Amino acid sequence: MMDVLHHLEADDPVLESLGRFVRLGGRLLLAEFTEEGFEIVSRAHRSEGRQHERGPWDMHRARNSLASLGWRVHREAVGHHHEVVVFVRGG
């Protein structure tokens, strides 16, 4: 999932639902804008007279939520205005 987290509502079940689609030991890659990346996209939206909405989800919240569901961080990186984390589904 890329650049989706900030569009989720507080009670969105999408991360909880992933366990139904990813087998044990399977991997999930999440990528989300860094603060700098989000600001770049927001400026582009503003130049078009729009606003780039931002919900309560970020990578920190996703990490905590997935950890509570048995996922673990396999690898992480930051670059090109994104934070990228690969999770492995435990069980």
Side-chain angles (χ1 to χ4, degrees):
M1 290 176 32
M2 185 165 188
D3 301 332
V4 171
L5 290 176
H6 65 275
H7 290 288
L8 301 179
E9 298 295 326
D11 59 350
D12 198 307
V14 70
L15 293 180
E16 292 175 13
S17 300
L18 291 171
R20 295 192 329 237
F21 305 104
V22 180
R23 66 176 171 79
L24 293 177
R27 295 178 185 189
L28 166 68
L29 184 142
L30 290 183
E32 183 64 355
F33 295 119
T34 60
E35 288 300 318
E36 183 180 64
F38 193 84
E39 182 52 36
I40 290 168
V41 172
S42 293
R43 273 197 317 262
H45 280 258
R46 283 193 301 272
S47 74
E48 297 170 347
R50 300 181 298 142
Q51 182 176 353
H52 193 202
E53 297 294 330
R54 188 174 198 172
W57 283 89
D58 58 16
M59 193 63 80
H60 178 76
R61 184 173 180 174
R63 271 194 188 102
N64 290 340
S65 179
L66 289 169
S68 73
L69 296 168
W71 294 79
R72 66 177 174 79
V73 172
H74 173 68
R75 208 173 254 188
E76 51 192 321
V78 176
H80 301 284
H81 308 295
H82 284 87
E83 181 177 3
V84 180
V85 181
V86 178
F87 296 89
V88 175
R89 183 171 176 228

